[in-house]
Amino acid sequence: MASVGNISRRGLLGSAVAVAAAAATGVIGEGTARAAARGGHASGGVTPLWREFAATPFTHAQVPFIGRAGYRGGSDLPRHRDVVANVLHYGAEPDGSADAAPAINRAIAAAGERGGGTVLIPAGTYRIDDIIRIGHSNVVVRGAGSGRTKLYATKSLTELIGVYGSRYGGDKSSWSWAGGLIWLCPEDRWTSLTDAIKAKAWPFEGWTGNKRDEWQTLTTVAPARRGDRSITVESTKQLKRGGLVLLRLADDADHTLLEHMAGGGPGPEAYYWDDKTKLTSYVPYEWPVRITAVHGHKVTLERPLPLDVRPEWDPRLTTLATPLTGSGVEGLTLEAVETPQSQHLLDKGYNGVAFQCAYDCWADDVTVRHVDNGFGLIGASACTLRRTRVEGRGSHHPYYCREGSHDNLIEDFTIAQRTVPAPAGTQLHGINVEGLSSYNVWSRGEMEMGTFDSHRGMPFANVRTDITVNNNGRHGGDASAGPLFGARFTHWNIRVTNGRAGLMRIDGLAPYSATVGVSEVTEFDQIDVPDFTGDLHTRLEAYGIPEAVWPPNLHDAQRALVR
């Protein structure tokens, strides 16, 4: 177990929860918090911004509410599912002597046809010459542990599916940010995606189909405010408790929705949006959410509204692709055949684990090695990635979060130092977020390389907390994708080991943001300028002293606040 000083991480976490709860009610004296963190030997108190947030957690101007991020609103991952299929019984060989992908996929399909259950992959090495696909809900693929079960992948997605170009033109490979050799995606949606790729009709990849036109209105929504959990709708005839719906917000001609995502005010109002063609292709904003209650014309949602709901944005609840829910992958390593890392944006698709059109799904104790791209969230929401690790020869995107992915939780993650030098012309990003993705959390991370890659496309209200990072990566994103940051980005307790500023301290870049407890850093290498003019309305606290921040983990403290 990792430790901080003479206190274990578990003990520190327990103190954080207790102090967070006390801070929320104001019952805490100066010095209590840091005394708990240092075994009673230091003085100080709860970070002022936390006190302020705890008073108005759902509507704070700079800090987003992310206390319900992840699987089932932040619930523990499920255990004790019945084993309904063992891949050995379907012909898989655990010694790497033959292609085990057909046997593994038959076992997964059999579990899906039964309505779900666990597919067991016992200890051993399994050669896979094809994609492992999880396309049915409530199916869990479980190895014997990431140190005992290994899938050895011999082919790339280019070989298995074909060349995947960009819908925006050029010679880029979309395998640089899409797809996985373990791919969790509803079966019908996966078929429509791969059929389009084979036909060279490069698709949109999210919840409403390849052309974003596969949805139907369930009801319109009355005006509401960010942070509300109950909304008023025109009709509840097609709504039910437990149902998953899509909140759809379209932009208007003046781009007031995009301005709202950036926090509003003179800066966003003065920004020129019309030539940001990639960014404007990302709207309407689509937010999947589960309904927890229906009463009269009132509907209660699993999570608070991420944005205001205004009439000019034509707000409505709609259908979405049949989602993949309750499925996961656990306890294994996916190792790709070791090839040199491809030139930037020309990845062949030796990719790790992808979650696409998935909701309430997860990965736990999973390592990927020698991959182009590690763990992907593509139009995925409310998923938890826990105890995941990217290692080997170096990756383009170790973690990526795009195509409108929301409310995901990545915790206890590691990006290991690469085992070979980076070839010339390659690129390293890190923990990526882009494409209007919102309310995602990266927590308790060890980044031996990489950066906090806000990849334009104006992601907003995302949190990175309690992370140690050797900040040696670079962010990407072209100019037509618009701003690096929308409103309410928060970096909280970030320990930068090499002193490089790029995308760590964001009070000079991100509007309505919070930089709390970031190590002292200096600008060098990639240096950015703010996208918005004027006062950014940002907050900076405990700069240069991350060890003084209390609570030390913003996500854990928010979870304690709403339990």
Side-chain angles (χ1 to χ4, degrees):
M1 180 182 298
S3 63
V4 180
N6 295 320
I7 286 184
S8 70
R9 181 178 287 279
R10 183 176 298 164
L12 187 61
L13 205 53
S15 298
V17 170
V19 173
T25 59
V27 186
I28 185 168
E30 289 300 317
T32 303
R34 200 171 309 167
R38 293 287 179 264
H41 296 299
S43 62
V46 171
T47 303
L49 190 55
W50 170 256
R51 284 187 185 276
E52 184 183 292
F53 170 84
T56 58
F58 304 120
T59 57
H60 194 273
Q62 284 88 12
V63 178
F65 173 73
I66 41 80
R68 294 192 183 276
Y71 170 83
R72 290 286 180 182
S75 299
D76 291 338
L77 298 181
R79 297 295 181 212
H80 311 301
R81 288 178 179 261
D82 292 337
V83 175
V84 299
N86 184 319
V87 300
L88 300 182
H89 300 160
Y90 287 79
E93 297 291 343
D95 59 3
S97 61
D99 179 16
I104 295 172
N105 283 326
R106 284 196 300 270
I108 292 170
E113 290 164 4
R114 294 185 185 187
T118 295
V119 175
L120 184 64
I121 308 180
T125 295
Y126 299 82
R127 196 186 90 210
I128 56 170
D129 301 338
D130 202 352
I131 300 162
I132 302 303
R133 295 196 293 115
I134 303 175
H136 291 87
S137 292
N138 302 311
V139 172
V140 179
V141 173
R142 180 183 298 159
S146 59
R148 301 182 63 205
T149 295
K150 180 168 75 174
L151 307 185
Y152 181 71
T154 63
K155 296 182 179 180
S156 69
L157 294 171
T158 299
E159 294 171 277
L160 295 171
I161 296 175
V163 172
Y164 187 5
S166 169
R167 64 178 181 250
Y168 300 104
D171 60 356
K172 301 173 183 177
S173 168
S174 285
W175 296 130
S176 299
W177 51 76
L181 293 168
I182 299 177
W183 202 332
L184 294 89
C185 182
E187 191 168 292
D188 289 347
R189 188 71 185 99
W190 190 87
T191 298
S192 69
L193 283 164
T194 54
D195 283 351
I197 293 166
K198 291 171 184 176
K200 298 187 178 351
W202 316 130
F204 285 90
E205 300 153 282
W207 290 102
T208 51
N210 295 344
K211 296 182 180 180
R212 299 192 72 185
D213 59 356
E214 297 175 21
W215 56 274
Q216 294 180 336
T217 297
L218 298 173
T219 186
T220 56
V221 183
R225 300 296 301 272
R226 174 172 65 90
D228 290 349
R229 282 194 61 194
S230 291
I231 56 176
T232 301
V233 300
E234 182 182 27
S235 171
T236 58
K237 183 177 180 180
Q238 299 186 75
L239 307 179
K240 63 180 181 179
R241 183 176 182 271
L244 193 62
V245 296
L246 202 67
L247 173 66
R248 185 181 190 272
L249 300 176
D251 206 4
D252 59 10
D254 293 326
H255 301 296
T256 60
L257 176 61
L258 292 174
E259 291 173 2
H260 177 55
M261 291 175 181
E269 289 171 5
Y271 187 80
Y272 189 70
W273 303 95
D274 286 338
D275 64 346
K276 310 304 186 295
T277 53
K278 184 178 286 189
L279 173 64
T280 54
S281 78
Y282 296 156
V283 288
Y285 176 78
E286 297 174 335
W287 182 62
V289 64
R290 200 177 298 281
I291 294 171
T292 59
V294 178
H295 184 72
H297 287 269
K298 291 285 187 182
V299 175
T300 303
L301 305 176
E302 184 177 29
R303 293 176 174 83
L305 286 176
L307 295 164
D308 288 354
V309 172
R310 301 179 187 173
E312 55 265 37
W313 302 331
D314 189 25
R316 55 188 66 212
L317 299 182
T318 76
T319 59
L320 67 169
T322 300
L324 187 76
T325 61
S327 293
V329 56
E330 304 175 346
L332 57 81
T333 289
L334 172 65
E335 179 178 321
V337 59
E338 186 171 359
T339 59
Q341 185 177 348
S342 296
Q343 299 291 289
H344 189 218
L345 300 176
L346 298 178
D347 295 354
K348 295 180 176 64
Y350 292 103
N351 293 351
V353 183
F355 292 80
Q356 189 155 10
C357 298
Y359 194 96
D360 283 339
C361 292
W362 70 90
D364 185 21
D365 183 28
V366 176
T367 294
V368 296
R369 183 179 298 132
H370 302 321
V371 292
D372 292 340
N373 301 282
F375 293 88
L377 296 159
I378 312 121
S381 292
C383 295
T384 293
L385 278 59
R386 177 173 170 265
R387 298 191 298 166
T388 56
R389 179 180 176 90
V390 182
E391 64 184 30
R393 50 85 157 158
S395 301
H396 179 194
H397 295 97
Y399 291 83
Y400 61 97
C401 179
R402 53 177 293 273
E403 201 82 4
S405 291
H406 314 292
D407 304 303
N408 297 292
L409 171 62
I410 301 94
E411 62 180 353
D412 299 304
F413 68 95
T414 301
I415 302 174
Q417 186 60 256
R418 65 191 312 141
T419 54
V420 296
T426 61
Q427 189 63 271
L428 166 66
H429 296 312
I431 52 175
N432 156 274
V433 61
E434 58 183 282
L436 303 185
S437 296
S438 63
Y439 294 86
N440 301 288
V441 183
W442 289 261
S443 171
R444 293 195 301 272
E446 297 290 336
M447 296 175 60
E448 296 174 8
M449 63 177 192
T451 194
F452 291 179
D453 175 31
S454 294
H455 212 84
R456 300 201 177 273
M458 204 169 68
F460 65 94
N462 298 284
V463 167
R464 288 108 171 205
T465 183
D466 193 9
I467 298 171
T468 300
V469 53
N470 175 34
N471 184 28
N472 63 356
R474 298 170 65 87
H475 76 74
D478 61 48
S480 69
L484 278 167
F485 301 95
R488 297 182 303 286
F489 249 85
T490 300
H491 290 176
W492 188 289
N493 188 10
I494 308 300
R495 303 168 294 274
V496 186
T497 61
N498 64 344
R500 177 176 175 262
L503 299 187
M504 301 290 117
R505 177 178 171 176
I506 57 174
D507 57 295
L509 290 174
Y512 292 91
S513 65
T515 301
V516 180
V518 172
S519 300
E520 187 171 342
V521 290
T522 304
E523 292 284 7
F524 60 93
D525 193 24
Q526 188 175 36
I527 300 175
D528 291 293
V529 297
D531 293 290
F532 302 106
T533 58
D535 186 355
L536 294 177
H537 303 282
T538 61
R539 302 285 289 273
L540 178 68
E541 288 189 5
Y543 175 57
I545 47 172
E547 67 278 358
V549 175
W550 196 269
N553 186 294
L554 181 62
H555 173 250
D556 292 330
Q558 288 199 21
R559 283 191 67 187
L561 197 64
V562 296
R563 279 178 178 167

